[in-house]
Amino acid sequence: MRIATWNVNSVKSRLDRLVEWLQTAQPDVVALQELKCASADFPEMPVQVLGYEVAAHGDGRWNGVALLSRVGLSDVVRDLPGQPAYDGSIEPRAVGATCGGARVWSVYVPNGREPDHDHYNYKLKWFGVLRDTVAMEMAASPDLPYAVIGDFNVAPEDSDVWDISLFAQSTHVTPAERAALEDLRATGLADVMPRALKGEPYTFWDYRDGAFHKGMGMRIDLVYANSAFTSRVTDAYVDREARKGTGPSDHAPVVVDLDL
DNA sequence: ATGCCCTATGATATAGGA
């Protein structure tokens, strides 16, 4: 089975590239983030004709996540149980489903904006609820291959950003955010590290400053999986090709192959 | 030396991204 996660930065704006990528990469399960459209507006037909079932969860201008699967899609859950609100609303940032013998969550963790911003506390609280959800579900089915994949908006290690000295006052690398990741791993998940291509493990490059061509990237799109999942992994890589050319997302897909 | 982006929206600016 081939499973992938990709922050597409608007599924409608990215539709042509998404369809082309599905045809080329041939993933069985795909987690999408930043749909930037309502569930009802998700362009399902172009994806369905390629054989995928769709579980989309979006409410409009921002956020939005989805799971695509051509190996079954059942027990769909939208939002984390007890997911915290921001500014009075539960944002569409998580969708879970069982696909081809694995339980998978597509997550778009809040950005945090600035360390002293309300959004930062929201981010940490959101991670705590994600951890609780993972612990609960894995306790119910300990032998089920299980993976939380998506845009975590945290670089786990200093080597996951191009120049850590530029992140002194920034989110994405603070001890509290990394501790939240560690708490999540402590439920029994491990970071499935993609092969470094061109010596870089990055999954995101800002549109600004020619960041992609200068190697100014970050690894913030992660695959966190339990041992039933990781023991079956045969390969993992970042599809840098998807960041090239005309009209790319600012994130590249992370692809994982496994014997399942 | 400095700035160089992209998306969606009741839009001709703004918020958000990270």
Side-chain angles (χ1 to χ4, degrees), chain A residues 13 24 70 89 117 142 186 188 190 212 244 256:
Chain A
S13 174
T24 305
R70 60 181 191 186
S89 71
H117 198 287
F212 180 63
K244 299 179 181 177
V256 177

Side-chain angles (χ1 to χ4, degrees), chain A residues 144-228:
Chain A
L144 182 69
Y146 192 95
V148 181
I149 64 180
D151 181 351
F152 284 63
N153 270 318
V154 181
E157 306 289 341
D158 287 359
S159 56
D160 292 318
V161 300
W162 80 96
D163 184 352
I164 191 63
S165 72
L166 301 177
F167 287 76
Q169 304 300 324
S170 301
T171 57
H172 293 63
V173 299
T174 67
E177 290 167 278
R178 287 175 170 171
L181 277 187
E182 189 172 352
D183 288 347
L184 181 59
R185 289 194 298 269
T187 62
L189 301 180
D191 186 341
V192 178
M193 186 72 191
R195 280 188 280 125
L197 301 176
K198 299 188 69 133
E200 300 175 349
Y202 310 139
T203 64
F204 162 84
W205 298 263
D206 201 300
Y207 287 123
R208 289 167 286 196
D209 304 326
F212 180 63
H213 302 287
K214 297 177 187 172
M216 295 156 56
M218 305 170 70
R219 186 174 75 98
I220 55 176
D221 300 273
L222 308 176
V223 174
Y224 268 30
N226 71 352
S227 60

Side-chain angles (χ1 to χ4, degrees), chain A residues 1-4 192 223 229 233-237 254-258:
Chain A
M1 184 163 86
R2 172 165 285 176
I3 185 168
V192 178
V223 174
F229 186 104
V233 170
T234 58
D235 193 15
Y237 62 95
V254 180
V255 182
V256 177
D257 289 329
L258 59 166

Side-chain angles (χ1 to χ4, degrees), chain A residues 15 19 22 40-52 54 68:
Chain A
L15 183 59
V19 167
L22 292 173
D41 295 331
F42 188 99
E44 290 194 14
M45 194 180 299
V47 171
Q48 287 171 336
V49 298
L50 299 176
Y52 296 94
V54 179
L68 317 180

Side-chain angles (χ1 to χ4, degrees), chain A residues 61-146:
Chain A
R61 184 172 187 182
W62 291 303
N63 310 308
V65 288
L67 283 167
L68 317 180
S69 175
R70 60 181 191 186
V71 290
L73 186 68
S74 60
D75 299 309
V76 174
V77 176
R78 289 173 171 81
D79 301 326
L80 305 172
Q83 185 177 310
Y86 184 74
D87 200 19
S89 71
I90 306 294
E91 299 173 320
R93 292 179 176 277
V95 59
T98 302
C99 307
R103 183 73 180 163
V104 180
W105 279 88
S106 173
V107 298
Y108 177 48
V109 177
N111 172 293
R113 299 183 188 165
E114 309 291 340
D116 60 356
H117 198 287
D118 281 348
H119 211 259
Y120 181 82
N121 291 324
Y122 167 54
K123 181 179 192 174
L124 297 178
K125 193 172 176 184
W126 205 95
F127 263 120
V129 174
L130 176 60
R131 176 201 59 207
D132 293 345
T133 302
V134 169
M136 178 185 67
E137 287 197 341
M138 289 206 303
S141 316
D143 298 325
L144 182 69
Y146 192 95

